[in-house]
Amino acid sequence: MAQMSIEQIYSGGKYSVISAAVEEYMRDGRHPEYDERTWIDLLIVKHALIVADKMKTEGDSVSGLIDDESPSSYAEYVRWNENDIN
């Protein structure tokens, strides 16, 4: 069980989200529906989710995260436009 910073998770060591995303991009290329930046962003999200699952399985955690507001308080800042949901 280890505590890691966001930087360690994304840039190196045990998980390295960015390296995994770039490796997949270089190996498989870009999906034709998306521009290059969007595709790389999607790969980063994909690999971040994979790492989150691995971290949960291995009991690792993120150090330095401080969230002193309850999740319900975020709702007052988020406004959904019903036209945004398809």
Side-chain angles (χ1 to χ4, degrees), residues 3 9 13-14 26 81 84:
Q3 283 197 337
I9 293 166
K14 188 174 180 179
M26 298 301 285
N81 180 340
D84 291 342

Side-chain angles (χ1 to χ4, degrees), residues 43-67:
L43 288 173
I44 290 169
V45 169
K46 171 187 173 181
H47 287 281
L49 292 170
I50 291 168
V51 164
D53 192 45
K54 286 180 185 177
M55 289 180 74
K56 183 178 173 183
T57 301
E58 296 184 21
D60 294 338
S61 62
V62 178
S63 63
L65 284 183
I66 299 172
D67 190 0

Side-chain angles (χ1 to χ4, degrees), residues 23-56:
E23 179 184 327
E24 182 173 340
Y25 179 79
M26 298 301 285
R27 183 184 65 238
D28 299 336
R30 175 179 55 88
H31 191 281
E33 277 186 51
Y34 301 101
D35 62 74
E36 182 176 34
R37 182 64 199 174
T38 301
W39 189 245
I40 289 172
D41 288 344
L42 289 170
L43 288 173
I44 290 169
V45 169
K46 171 187 173 181
H47 287 281
L49 292 170
I50 291 168
V51 164
D53 192 45
K54 286 180 185 177
M55 289 180 74
K56 183 178 173 183

